[in-house]
Amino acid sequence: VNGIEIYSMKIDSKVTSRFAHNVITSRAVNRGNASKEVFFDVELPKTAFITNFSMTIDGVTYPGTIKEKEAAKKQYAKAVSRGQTAGLVKASGRKTEKFTVSVNIKAASKVTFELTYEELLKRQFGKYEMFIKVKPKQLVKDFEIEVDIFEPQGITELEAEGTFITNELLNTIKKTFSGKKGHISFKPTLDQQRTCANCSQSVLDGDFTVRYDVKRTTPDNLQIVNGYFVHFFAPSNLPKLSKNIIFVLDTSGSMSGREIEQTKEALLKILDDIKEDDFFNFILFDSDISTWKETLIKATPENLDEARKFVRQISAQGMTNLHGGLMRGIDILNAAHEQNLVPKRSASIIIMLTDGQPNVGVSNTHDIEKAVKEAIDGRYTLYNLGFGSGVDYGFLERMALENKGLARRIYPDSDSALQLQGFYDEVSNPMLIDVELNYPENEISDLTTNSFKHFYDGSEIVVAGRFVDSNQNHLSVDVRGEGANDALSYTTQQDAEQTAQAFQEQQYIFGEYIERLWAYLTIEQLLEKRLTATGEEKENLTAQALALSLLYKFVTPLTSMVVTKPEENGNEEGIADKPTEGIDIFTIPGMCVVYAKLLLIVKLISIKPSFITKSYGQSTSPLYHTYASPPTWYTSVDGDPHFIISVPQKKDAICFNINENPGMILNLINDPVTGITVNGELIGDKRANSDAKVQNSYFGRLGIANKQLDVKLTVTPERITIQNGDEKTGFTWLDSVTLQQAGLTLIINRKKNLVLSMGSGASFVVVLHQVWKKHPLHQDFLGLYTLKSDKLSDQTHGLLGQFFRPIDFTILEVHPGSDPKKPDATMIVKNNELIVTRGWQKDYRGDPKHGVDVPCWFVHDNGAGLIDGVHTDYIVSSLF
C-alpha cells in the first residue's frame, strides 16, 4: 500500500497453564523511491498487558522502555516542547485496545516491528478462550499464526475459528493435540488471502479465536515452580444451587426507544432460562420506584408467564432514582432471607442495568456507594451493567467491586439484547457459595485473592502465591465451600517433583511463567482494590502495583512505555499507555479561533503561556495586532460550513462541513458557567447555484451574549448592535470605535474586523468578508475567531465549544480516493472509526480576499463521529 509492502507478519502464541505469551512480528520494506511512513497497528485484548516493543530499521534496533507513568509523561512533555513526538494511540473496541506506531523509512529500507503482550486466559462456559485480532490491511507474502499450548493436566478439546474463514480457507487451519500439547497453525498463501481471484484486497479481517479445555480427574490442580505456585480450582459434576435474582432496571426517559426494547427482548429470553427452583423479582426505577411483586417469587411456569406479561408492558419515562431502585432490591432480598422464603443454601444476586447517572433522590454517587455497601453487608453479589456512554462507569465499577461483583459495559448496537443475555448466562449457574482456599500462613507470602462469594459452572478460580522459602517444593491446601446439598471440604497436596514430571517437555515453556502469572494476577487485583480505596490505603496499593509493573515490565495504568524512533530532524518519542475503561485520555489544551463563511475552521492550539501573555496580555495595544504574528496553531471558521480543528501535537488538522439551509441558526459556543453563548445564522448565495449538488451557506448574522454582564452583541455584514440591559447602541462597518464599559471592551476596525473582550477574559474577533456588490452569486459574510478559549469552563459545548477541550486522532490505512489528488484514510477519533479524505480549506486570516490553503483531514456527513451527537442537535430557535 502506498509503496510500503508488508512482506511478513507472524503471530506467535505460547500458552502454558492458561498463561499466554504473544509475540507479533511485522516486517515491511519501502518499495518506493522516496521516504515513506510505515504503520504498525495491532489490536490486542483489553485484558492483556504489553511487556515489550521494539523496531529495527536497517539493522538498528530502537527498543521501548517501560517507566512510571509520571516520569514517562515528563520525558514526553520535553519531547513535545522540542517538536519530537510520536503518540502511540489507544482506541478501544469492545474487547480490544489498539497499539499504533509509525516511522518514516528511506527508499528500499526495511523495518521490523515486534510487540509482546501477556495475559491469563479466563475459563468461561467450560473453555479457555484466546482471541487474536487479524487485520494486515494488505496481502502479506508470509503470513502466519502459530499457537503452542502446554497444559500439565492434559488437553481434552481444542478448536480454532476465524470470523473471516471462508470455505477455501477452512483447510488452512491445522490443528493437533495429544496428551499435554496442542498446536494450531494458520498459514494462508497469497492467493488464499485474496477476496477474489485477481483482487489485491485481503480477506483477512476479523477475529481468530482459539478455545480449549483441560482434563480434570480432581476438582483442582496445584503447580509449583521456582518458589511460586498456582492453584486452579474448577470442580465439575456438582449439583446446581438455586439462585435468588433481583433485576433492578433503569426505566427513565433516556432508556426509551431501542434501549428499552432490547432490554425487554433480553429479559424475555432470560425468563425462558430461569430454573423452577430459582426465585426472582423486577424493580423498575425512574423518578419513582415500582416493583413487580412485593417479595421474591418462585419461578413456577404460571409465575414466569405473569412475569412475561409484566416485562412486555415496561415503558420508559422520567428521571433516574438509581439509589431508590437498588435499596428496594436489597430490602426485598433481606426480607426473603429473614423470613426464610428462600432456601438457606442458595446464591443471591442483584443485576442492575442503567444508561445514565442518578439525578433524583440520593444523587451523590459517593453517598450511594456507601449506603449500598452497608445494606448488602457482604451477603449478596452486585453486578452493574452500564448501557451506552452516558453512564459514570467508574462509579458502577467501584460499587460492584465493593460488593463482590463486577461491572460490564453494554454497547448500544443491534446485538445489545444478546450482550445482556450473554452476561446473564455467565452468572446463571452458581455451583458453590462462600468458597475459601486456605494456605499455610507461615509458608506463603504475597497471596492473591483466595475467598470468592460464588463459583459458577464452567468458570475457574485461580489463586497464585510466593513461598517464604523459595526452595520449598511442597504445599497442602484446605478448600471449603457451600454446595446445594452440603458443605464442600477437602485438602489437596502437591510437590514440585510432581509438577516437574508434568513439565517434562521443557521446550514448550517460556521463561518464569508461573512467577509472571502470579505478578499479572497480583497487579490486576491491586488495581481493582485501588479503585475503591482512599487515602493511605490507596497510596500503598498504588506503590505495590507500580513496583510490580516496573519489575515485570508490564504496561499497566500506572506505567507507560516510551518508544524512541528515528526521524529526519532527530529522534522522536512516543508513549504507550494502558487505557482505563470509562476514562478519557486528554491531550494538550489550547486556544481556539473561529472564522466564518461557515468554514468553522476550528483549530486547537498549543501555545506556551508566555506567548499568550505577550500577544494577548493586558496591554493597551488592540488585540487585532496579533494578526501580524499569528500563533502557529489557531482555530478558525470560514467558507461553506467548514470547521477546521487544529491538533498541534499531530502538526495537522481535521475539518468538516455543516450543510444546512439558509435561515438555520447553529449554536457555536455555549458555556453554562460563564453564561457566554455564541450562535450563528446561515445565509446562502443570492440565488441557487444550478451546478452545485449542495448549496453554499455562510454566516450572515452572529449573536454573542454574556448573561452575567447582561450584554448581547449582534453582528451582520452591515451593522453591529450592542444591547446592554435595555440600552441599544448601533454602529456600521464604516466606523472606527473603541468602546469600554464595565467588564467589556469593543474595538471596531473600519471595514476589517471587530474585537470583543469580556470580563471573564474570553475574547472574540469577528472578521468582515466583503464581495463585489454586483457579484451574481455571492454576498458579504462574517468570520469568527475565538481567542483565550481557556477562560471558558470545562462544561463549554457547541459546534465549536466542544473542541476547546483537547482532541487526539490517529490516521491509519492511507489509500487512493475518488480524487487522485485527495487520498482517503481511516481515522480513529473519540473511539470511532471514520473514513476521511485529505484536502484543503481556505484560511482567510491574512488575506480576506484570496485566503491560504490549509491541509486537513476531511470528515464527511456533517462531522458524524467527530462532533458529539448529530449536527441537527446544534440547531437553535433564535440568535439569543
Side-chain angles (χ1 to χ4, degrees), residues 658-674:
I658 296 292
N659 297 312
E660 266 303 339
N661 297 323
M664 283 294 178
I665 299 169
L666 296 172
N667 173 239
L668 302 178
I669 300 164
N670 177 23
D671 181 0
V673 176
T674 61

Side-chain angles (χ1 to χ4, degrees), residues 721-740:
T721 308
I722 186 161
Q723 183 172 348
N724 200 335
D726 296 331
E727 287 179 36
K728 266 190 187 178
T729 314
F731 305 98
T732 73
W733 282 101
L734 296 171
D735 296 322
S736 285
V737 174
T738 301
L739 174 74
Q740 283 188 308

Side-chain angles (χ1 to χ4, degrees), residues 530-706:
R530 182 175 166 265
L531 287 174
T532 57
T534 53
E536 196 177 331
E537 187 195 359
K538 184 168 189 165
E539 284 174 24
N540 290 338
L541 291 166
T542 304
Q544 289 172 52
L546 173 61
L548 283 174
S549 302
L550 291 170
L551 181 63
Y552 290 95
K553 296 190 165 38
F554 285 132
V555 176
T556 68
L558 303 175
T559 52
S560 299
M561 176 154 45
V562 178
V563 177
T564 303
K565 62 180 192 174
E567 293 294 355
E568 285 170 21
N569 58 350
N571 286 351
E572 273 196 3
E573 281 168 354
I575 198 161
D577 285 329
K578 178 85 179 157
T580 309
E581 187 70 62
I583 293 177
D584 297 316
I585 310 292
F586 288 128
T587 49
I588 308 157
M591 164 194 124
C592 228
V593 180
V594 187
Y595 207 45
K597 173 185 150 203
L598 216 43
L599 175 78
L600 295 176
I601 306 182
V602 187
K603 291 200 170 178
L604 287 185
I605 303 161
S606 165
I607 305 175
K608 290 178 194 155
S610 59
F611 182 91
I612 294 174
T613 314
K614 217 158 38 189
S615 299
Y616 312 122
Q618 303 305 312
S619 64
T620 50
S621 60
L623 280 173
Y624 61 87
H625 286 328
T626 58
Y627 293 157
S629 57
T632 322
W633 297 99
Y634 56 92
T635 306
S636 63
V637 120
D638 213 328
D640 169 22
H642 300 309
F643 293 61
I644 300 183
I645 301 156
S646 183
V647 184
Q649 70 271 29
K650 288 280 190 294
K651 300 182 183 167
D652 210 341
I654 307 174
C655 44
F656 62 97
N657 270 1
I658 296 292
N659 297 312
E660 266 303 339
N661 297 323
M664 283 294 178
I665 299 169
L666 296 172
N667 173 239
L668 302 178
I669 300 164
N670 177 23
D671 181 0
V673 176
T674 61
I676 291 173
T677 57
V678 181
N679 294 329
E681 184 179 335
L682 301 183
I683 55 169
D685 284 331
K686 290 176 183 171
R687 59 180 173 76
N689 180 355
S690 55
D691 298 334
K693 277 189 197 164
V694 179
Q695 299 301 318
N696 286 332
S697 52
Y698 314 86
F699 278 133
R701 235 173 26 124
L702 290 169
I704 303 173
N706 185 323

Side-chain angles (χ1 to χ4, degrees), residues 239 323 421 746:
H323 169 265
Q421 200 188 335
L746 174 68

Side-chain angles (χ1 to χ4, degrees), residues 280-339:
F280 71 109
N281 201 348
F282 296 104
I283 314 290
L284 311 181
F285 66 89
D286 42 58
S287 303
D288 301 310
I289 312 302
S290 57
T291 57
W292 171 50
K293 299 287 182 187
E294 288 309 304
T295 61
L296 276 169
I297 295 292
K298 198 167 196 286
T300 62
E302 302 75 31
N303 286 338
L304 287 169
D305 277 342
E306 196 186 329
R308 288 183 188 99
K309 285 177 195 157
F310 174 78
V311 166
R312 287 190 187 101
Q313 57 78 42
I314 292 174
S315 61
Q317 60 182 28
M319 309 274 275
T320 309
N321 186 355
L322 185 148
H323 169 265
L326 266 179
M327 295 308 278
R328 179 73 59 87
I330 298 164
D331 287 346
I332 287 175
L333 264 180
N334 285 343
H337 280 279
E338 282 161 16
Q339 294 162 28

